[in-house]
Amino acid sequence: MILEAQIESSPPPTDIQWTKDRNIIKPDGRKFFEVKSDAYNPKLRVENVDFTDSGTYCIAVTNALGSDKDQKTIKVQGILYAVKGLFPSILKCVSFE
């Protein structure tokens, strides 16, 4: 799952912070990854999505003039397994509220 924000800011953002259920998300290279992009289009990739990834995700953006945030609630509704060739692939059903 990839969470993406489109930021309109002048001056440019100086800090971007992602949270889930008010807990800071620290990209760890295992579950959470920051996708390389410019400061105006930050992306957060969540790997191996399961039911525990349901929750309220928030992005807080700060620049020299202040800060703002936005949030979305994500609900993982199910996990489907599809077999293709020898290796199963996992399809996830995610909804945004």
Side-chain angles (χ1 to χ4, degrees), residues 5-13 15-16 38-42 59-62:
Q6 295 179 350
I7 299 170
E8 295 178 14
S9 172
S10 181
D15 185 52
I16 296 171
D38 63 55
Y40 295 96
N41 295 296
I59 183 169
V61 180
T62 303

Side-chain angles (χ1 to χ4, degrees), residues 4-73:
E4 180 177 0
Q6 295 179 350
I7 299 170
E8 295 178 14
S9 172
S10 181
T14 55
D15 185 52
I16 296 171
Q17 182 67 63
W18 294 94
T19 61
K20 177 185 175 264
D21 299 329
R22 299 185 187 161
N23 297 307
I24 295 172
I25 295 174
K26 295 183 180 181
D28 58 10
R30 294 185 316 268
K31 179 73 174 174
F32 298 106
F33 297 82
E34 283 185 299
V35 178
K36 291 186 180 184
S37 59
D38 63 55
Y40 295 96
N41 295 296
K43 297 176 187 173
L44 178 73
R45 188 174 83 221
V46 183
E47 287 289 321
N48 304 314
V49 175
D50 61 30
F51 297 108
T52 64
D53 294 310
S54 294
T56 300
Y57 288 80
C58 179
I59 183 169
V61 180
T62 303
N63 70 9
L65 300 178
S67 62
D68 198 5
K69 63 182 177 179
D70 192 18
Q71 65 184 33
K72 296 289 182 220
T73 299

